[in-house]
Amino acid sequence: MTTIRLPARGAALLATAILLIAGCASGTTEARTDSATEAAEASQGVTEDTATESASPTEEPVETSAVGEAVQLPSADFTVRGIEERDMIPSSFPDYTPGEGERLWFLDIEWTNNTLDAVAKECHGPDMFDLRVYDLDGAEMLMVDQPGMIEGQECSSGLRQGETGTWYTAFYGGTSDFGWAIFTDYAGEEAVVTLDPTLELTRTL
């Protein structure tokens, strides 16, 4: 629900209007004075209530998807097939290993190109996507360098419209558990995938 707070001048105009109507009905100075007092008190009460509502941030639930659930966005359809903590991820870069106080998370994603443009390398994911990952404390993780070199994915060929490929990526985080991944489609939509299907997220408006 959106709350609109009227300016003080608007409240004064409302009180004046009530005062004039009351005066015409009674024809006495006393009636006009009483009405003015009541209108001012009512207006003040409305203003105070509105101010209290405005001071409180509004939250709305965020729609989320679980691991293994198909997600449709304008630029690509995708499924996060797995999110796993790893001690090591084989790569030709070289291998990825977490540092002291870090945890390493591996994401296995299957995706289909929905755009008319061909994607040069399927291992990089959709060209129109931005992927950001967070832990349960809301701290953003960092993507590993050169995720396209993770072994087991095809990075020498691309995808035309309607073709499906594999996208492996990985992120370094702190000691907290994996929270959620936000897939932002530059075409104007986003999808949020959680490791824990019971996790509920809200967005402050």
Side-chain angles (χ1 to χ4, degrees), residues 2 29 33-34 48 70 75 77 82 86 103 107 110 116 149 157 190-191 195-198:
T2 302
T29 302
T33 302
D34 291 343
E48 290 176 352
S75 300
D77 297 343
R86 296 279 185 89
R103 298 173 73 177
L107 282 73
E110 179 183 78
L116 294 173
M149 294 187 177
S157 63
E190 72 173 22
L195 177 58
D196 180 359
T198 65

Side-chain angles (χ1 to χ4, degrees), residues 129-152:
F129 270 26
D130 177 54
L131 173 58
R132 304 174 81 93
V133 170
Y134 300 83
D135 66 22
L136 276 180
D137 294 328
E140 186 173 2
M141 301 186 195
L142 286 174
M143 183 184 293
V144 300
D145 195 14
Q146 300 296 330
M149 294 187 177
I150 296 174
E151 292 182 1

